[in-house]
Amino acid sequence: MCAVIFGFMWFNQPSEAERAERQRQLDSIAHEQAMRHDPVAGVVDTLTTDEVTQLQGVLSQLAEQDAGMVNDGVNLRLADGEVTGTVTVGDTAVAWDEVVAATSANPATHNLAVQQVLRALNVYTKNGQFASALTGSEQTVKLENDSLIVELSTKGGIISRATLKGYKTWKSPQMVLFEKGDNDYSFTLSNNTQRFETRNFYFTPQRLNDSTVVMNLELDGGAQWGLKYTLVPGSYMVRMEMVQRGMTAIIPLNINMVDLDWRQRISRHEEGKMFEERNSGIYYKFAGKGGEVKHLSESGNDDKDVKDKLKWVSAKNQFFSTVLITDSVMSTAQMTSQSTQKGSADYERYLKDVTLHTMIPYASDKAVPASFYFYLGPNRYHTLSAYDKYSPKEDLKLTHLIPLGWKLFRWINTGVIIPIFDWLGKFLSNYGLIILLLTIIIKVVLSPLTYKSYISQAKMRILAPDIAALNEKYPNQEDALKKQQKTMELYSLAGASPFGGCLPMLLQMPILIAMFTFFPSCIELRGQAFLWAKDLSAPDKIVEWTGQIPFITNYFGNHLSLFCLLMTVTNIAYTYITMKSQNQSNSMPGMKWMMYLMPLMFLVFFNNYASGLSYYYFISLLITILQTFSCRLFVTEDKVRATIAANRAKPKKKKSGFAARLEEAQRLQQEQMKQQQKKRQGGGNSTSRNRRR
């Protein structure tokens, strides 16, 4: 097959004469292009008659709207049937008469002016009936309520800036969710030959009242298309409706979808950039009552094509979100999330650059073909849960913007921790004290499990010499079952269990994990000071340094958090107490170092976390140590020995059927092991006698 292909190529290669003629044509084309743009030769670009006629037609349509062509330095109008105006090239303004002249004293500038006119003509021609809206000046219209200030730009008719009242950033007394240029979205309307992107047009604002503004595009033939914005009083919601009239003359009825493109640069608002970046990205919810909330990777760059229908998409920060909620559905969405590159000029200002491309149902004969809500506000649990009323047919699940852990941990947070936290907040304003009381309440509720765990550990510690004696009494493998029976009998008489200390601790783990997810997501702690910590939602830095230190900077950061350090020291002390009480310091040296290594690992892990979390674990460990010493006052060796003696003195109860069967099975297994051992010994003796013979 390869030979056939190479043979075909060899027989069909051009002759020398054909190659020479082709090269001559290429040289001629290159020469013409060079002469066309060569100022030394004095040859200039010129507009053809058809291009001038086309330009006059566009300007005539614009003149009906009392507008001209203004694009990329081109500023032309039609006055008394004649084209007038200038084309600005750099700092030079070229008059229209010079643009259409056949010669020029400055061919290079002249040629650039001609190219700018051709580009502008192409833009206006493509946009047809929307061409008049390509010209205008950008204005800003403001809407404001008790919670939110939004600024609308006439360029693109978008929300260009959003300010949240009552919040601030680590650098500014104002909480600006996004600045002008950081939030951009556009609808693309299509007919059979043209595509109209709304980001290119200048809208005319029409204020209906203090909370409602319509951004209008007045089109040919009396058609109108626009976006109506209503700031919902006392909330963080902005209603956005697509409004239109007479659009069937521009967009045919067989077009039933419009494209929506949205891009936002997620701004940095917190001092701890590393942790804030880990909790920022794109979240989205599938449409329908059972629709789940998913998100793109927050740890790095990610992209995803979603074929199923979506209800909302959010550009989420650690404590604040911009959520676009549609009344209908979004179809076939493509989403990307790009982290701001380290070392770039925007690295300290932005966290992520996120984009969305999707499609929305549309009909050109409807007055309101599509409608949305923009949520521009904090990730506060009760605030987000209150907005489910905006979607009566399905639960919006906006509270899932707050990462509260998997289902079990989330249930503990939403059903137990958050209600207690809010209840304490009604009486106290100091969140350090609220965390302290919350920790005490949790410890009191868990105290029965904790007490049971400590009692079991204490009994096991007291019985350790007896267990050692049994190990010495039954050292052989064939006595393993007998040793096990005696050990279990000893545990039973003392009321102890080797698993008695583990099970209560395992039952407490879900609460510990739930608290681990709760504190870093709790916006109530944001900006709240306690003792030396300026912000309980950020690390409490007592020592800082600059420079990039390999491994340390990436994982530990360039600071040391005091609450995290106190938590580590307390954890080491608790480990020492536990190891000593269980007599493991000498018998298990490997386990000893592993147990002491864990608190140091936690120091590295928690150093960048919220100081409120480290403070909670610090207080929790202190209370645990106090509980340990308290339990030692109630559980002594004399009491355990007395319990064993009392249990031995009691008449033996009749064993249950299960216990009897279990004991019989153990007896039979022990007999089988003895028989196997005798056979092995007999076989060995027989072999020895044969060798002597």
mmCIF file of all heavy atoms in Angstrom, residues 141-161:
data_model
loop_
_atom_site.group_PDB
_atom_site.id
_atom_site.type_symbol
_atom_site.label_atom_id
_atom_site.label_comp_id
_atom_site.label_asym_id
_atom_site.label_seq_id
_atom_site.Cartn_x
_atom_site.Cartn_y
_atom_site.Cartn_z
ATOM 1 N N VAL A 141 -26.011 53.055 35.298
ATOM 2 C CA VAL A 141 -27.251 53.281 36.037
ATOM 3 C C VAL A 141 -27.172 52.461 37.321
ATOM 4 O O VAL A 141 -26.784 51.293 37.298
ATOM 5 C CB VAL A 141 -28.482 52.863 35.214
ATOM 6 C CG1 VAL A 141 -29.760 53.141 35.996
ATOM 7 C CG2 VAL A 141 -28.500 53.587 33.877
ATOM 8 N N LYS A 142 -27.548 53.082 38.449
ATOM 9 C CA LYS A 142 -27.398 52.436 39.748
ATOM 10 C C LYS A 142 -28.760 52.067 40.337
ATOM 11 O O LYS A 142 -29.716 52.835 40.279
ATOM 12 C CB LYS A 142 -26.656 53.364 40.709
ATOM 13 C CG LYS A 142 -26.362 52.745 42.075
ATOM 14 C CD LYS A 142 -25.691 53.745 43.002
ATOM 15 C CE LYS A 142 -24.298 54.110 42.537
ATOM 16 N NZ LYS A 142 -23.597 54.979 43.527
ATOM 17 N N LEU A 143 -28.819 50.839 40.907
ATOM 18 C CA LEU A 143 -29.964 50.396 41.688
ATOM 19 C C LEU A 143 -29.471 50.050 43.086
ATOM 20 O O LEU A 143 -28.395 49.461 43.233
ATOM 21 C CB LEU A 143 -30.628 49.170 41.052
ATOM 22 C CG LEU A 143 -31.281 49.353 39.678
ATOM 23 C CD1 LEU A 143 -31.788 48.017 39.160
ATOM 24 C CD2 LEU A 143 -32.425 50.354 39.747
ATOM 25 N N GLU A 144 -30.276 50.382 44.107
ATOM 26 C CA GLU A 144 -29.797 50.207 45.482
ATOM 27 C C GLU A 144 -30.940 49.856 46.415
ATOM 28 O O GLU A 144 -32.046 50.376 46.298
ATOM 29 C CB GLU A 144 -29.106 51.495 45.951
ATOM 30 C CG GLU A 144 -28.519 51.428 47.344
ATOM 31 C CD GLU A 144 -27.755 52.699 47.715
ATOM 32 O OE1 GLU A 144 -27.622 53.588 46.841
ATOM 33 O OE2 GLU A 144 -27.305 52.792 48.874
ATOM 34 N N ASN A 145 -30.663 48.914 47.337
ATOM 35 C CA ASN A 145 -31.585 48.647 48.443
ATOM 36 C C ASN A 145 -30.787 48.559 49.739
ATOM 37 O O ASN A 145 -29.623 48.979 49.772
ATOM 38 C CB ASN A 145 -32.424 47.386 48.187
ATOM 39 C CG ASN A 145 -31.573 46.123 48.103
ATOM 40 O OD1 ASN A 145 -30.400 46.107 48.483
ATOM 41 N ND2 ASN A 145 -32.163 45.052 47.597
ATOM 42 N N ASP A 146 -31.346 48.008 50.788
ATOM 43 C CA ASP A 146 -30.666 47.972 52.084
ATOM 44 C C ASP A 146 -29.500 46.987 52.116
ATOM 45 O O ASP A 146 -28.649 47.065 53.013
ATOM 46 C CB ASP A 146 -31.660 47.596 53.194
ATOM 47 C CG ASP A 146 -32.734 48.658 53.381
ATOM 48 O OD1 ASP A 146 -32.476 49.818 53.007
ATOM 49 O OD2 ASP A 146 -33.830 48.318 53.877
ATOM 50 N N SER A 147 -29.456 46.060 51.170
ATOM 51 C CA SER A 147 -28.434 45.020 51.186
ATOM 52 C C SER A 147 -27.415 45.143 50.073
ATOM 53 O O SER A 147 -26.270 44.686 50.228
ATOM 54 C CB SER A 147 -29.097 43.632 51.087
ATOM 55 O OG SER A 147 -30.067 43.446 52.088
ATOM 56 N N LEU A 148 -27.799 45.741 48.966
ATOM 57 C CA LEU A 148 -27.015 45.599 47.742
ATOM 58 C C LEU A 148 -27.047 46.866 46.902
ATOM 59 O O LEU A 148 -28.050 47.581 46.869
ATOM 60 C CB LEU A 148 -27.603 44.419 46.938
ATOM 61 C CG LEU A 148 -26.936 43.968 45.659
ATOM 62 C CD1 LEU A 148 -25.538 43.429 45.935
ATOM 63 C CD2 LEU A 148 -27.780 42.884 44.978
ATOM 64 N N ILE A 149 -25.924 47.136 46.237
ATOM 65 C CA ILE A 149 -25.843 48.192 45.226
ATOM 66 C C ILE A 149 -25.360 47.548 43.935
ATOM 67 O O ILE A 149 -24.296 46.917 43.912
ATOM 68 C CB ILE A 149 -24.867 49.315 45.627
ATOM 69 C CG1 ILE A 149 -25.246 49.943 46.954
ATOM 70 C CG2 ILE A 149 -24.804 50.380 44.534
ATOM 71 C CD1 ILE A 149 -24.227 50.940 47.471
ATOM 72 N N VAL A 150 -26.146 47.672 42.862
ATOM 73 C CA VAL A 150 -25.716 47.142 41.566
ATOM 74 C C VAL A 150 -25.627 48.297 40.575
ATOM 75 O O VAL A 150 -26.448 49.215 40.584
ATOM 76 C CB VAL A 150 -26.669 46.052 41.034
ATOM 77 C CG1 VAL A 150 -26.626 44.827 41.915
ATOM 78 C CG2 VAL A 150 -28.084 46.570 40.893
ATOM 79 N N GLU A 151 -24.618 48.236 39.727
ATOM 80 C CA GLU A 151 -24.423 49.230 38.678
ATOM 81 C C GLU A 151 -24.579 48.545 37.331
ATOM 82 O O GLU A 151 -23.932 47.528 37.056
ATOM 83 C CB GLU A 151 -23.046 49.875 38.809
ATOM 84 C CG GLU A 151 -22.870 50.657 40.100
ATOM 85 C CD GLU A 151 -21.501 51.298 40.224
ATOM 86 O OE1 GLU A 151 -20.780 51.348 39.198
ATOM 87 O OE2 GLU A 151 -21.149 51.737 41.334
ATOM 88 N N LEU A 152 -25.460 49.118 36.497
ATOM 89 C CA LEU A 152 -25.745 48.572 35.177
ATOM 90 C C LEU A 152 -25.034 49.402 34.127
ATOM 91 O O LEU A 152 -25.084 50.633 34.157
ATOM 92 C CB LEU A 152 -27.251 48.571 34.908
ATOM 93 C CG LEU A 152 -28.140 47.935 35.983
ATOM 94 C CD1 LEU A 152 -29.606 48.137 35.644
ATOM 95 C CD2 LEU A 152 -27.828 46.463 36.124
ATOM 96 N N SER A 153 -24.380 48.736 33.187
ATOM 97 C CA SER A 153 -23.675 49.418 32.107
ATOM 98 C C SER A 153 -24.516 49.359 30.841
ATOM 99 O O SER A 153 -25.062 48.303 30.487
ATOM 100 C CB SER A 153 -22.314 48.764 31.858
ATOM 101 O OG SER A 153 -21.705 49.313 30.701
ATOM 102 N N THR A 154 -24.595 50.504 30.135
ATOM 103 C CA THR A 154 -25.327 50.521 28.876
ATOM 104 C C THR A 154 -24.572 49.772 27.778
ATOM 105 O O THR A 154 -25.171 49.386 26.779
ATOM 106 C CB THR A 154 -25.574 51.968 28.418
ATOM 107 O OG1 THR A 154 -24.307 52.664 28.318
ATOM 108 C CG2 THR A 154 -26.455 52.711 29.407
ATOM 109 N N LYS A 155 -23.264 49.548 27.939
ATOM 110 C CA LYS A 155 -22.510 48.742 26.969
ATOM 111 C C LYS A 155 -22.734 47.266 27.300
ATOM 112 O O LYS A 155 -22.224 46.735 28.275
ATOM 113 C CB LYS A 155 -21.021 49.069 27.033
ATOM 114 C CG LYS A 155 -20.170 48.242 26.067
ATOM 115 C CD LYS A 155 -20.535 48.540 24.621
ATOM 116 C CE LYS A 155 -19.798 47.651 23.636
ATOM 117 N NZ LYS A 155 -18.335 47.832 23.668
ATOM 118 N N GLY A 156 -23.567 46.629 26.510
ATOM 119 C CA GLY A 156 -23.904 45.236 26.742
ATOM 120 C C GLY A 156 -25.131 45.057 27.612
ATOM 121 O O GLY A 156 -25.681 43.960 27.699
ATOM 122 N N GLY A 157 -25.571 46.124 28.312
ATOM 123 C CA GLY A 157 -26.761 46.042 29.153
ATOM 124 C C GLY A 157 -26.601 45.096 30.321
ATOM 125 O O GLY A 157 -27.548 44.407 30.716
ATOM 126 N N ILE A 158 -25.413 45.051 30.929
ATOM 127 C CA ILE A 158 -25.097 44.052 31.950
ATOM 128 C C ILE A 158 -24.944 44.685 33.330
ATOM 129 O O ILE A 158 -24.824 45.905 33.468
ATOM 130 C CB ILE A 158 -23.796 43.303 31.599
ATOM 131 C CG1 ILE A 158 -22.605 44.275 31.602
ATOM 132 C CG2 ILE A 158 -23.923 42.591 30.268
ATOM 133 C CD1 ILE A 158 -21.253 43.604 31.433
ATOM 134 N N ILE A 159 -24.948 43.818 34.360
ATOM 135 C CA ILE A 159 -24.571 44.238 35.708
ATOM 136 C C ILE A 159 -23.047 44.278 35.742
ATOM 137 O O ILE A 159 -22.391 43.243 35.692
ATOM 138 C CB ILE A 159 -25.103 43.264 36.776
ATOM 139 C CG1 ILE A 159 -26.629 43.180 36.699
ATOM 140 C CG2 ILE A 159 -24.669 43.706 38.171
ATOM 141 C CD1 ILE A 159 -27.229 42.142 37.640
ATOM 142 N N SER A 160 -22.494 45.463 35.816
ATOM 143 C CA SER A 160 -21.043 45.614 35.700
ATOM 144 C C SER A 160 -20.337 45.672 37.045
ATOM 145 O O SER A 160 -19.130 45.415 37.130
ATOM 146 C CB SER A 160 -20.704 46.880 34.906
ATOM 147 O OG SER A 160 -21.246 48.026 35.553
ATOM 148 N N ARG A 161 -21.069 46.000 38.114
ATOM 149 C CA ARG A 161 -20.446 46.129 39.434
ATOM 150 C C ARG A 161 -21.482 45.827 40.508
ATOM 151 O O ARG A 161 -22.646 46.212 40.376
ATOM 152 C CB ARG A 161 -19.888 47.538 39.627
ATOM 153 C CG ARG A 161 -18.950 47.711 40.832
ATOM 154 C CD ARG A 161 -18.354 49.115 40.799
ATOM 155 N NE ARG A 161 -17.282 49.287 41.770
ATOM 156 C CZ ARG A 161 -17.441 49.822 42.985
ATOM 157 N NH1 ARG A 161 -18.652 50.226 43.371
ATOM 158 N NH2 ARG A 161 -16.408 49.952 43.794
#
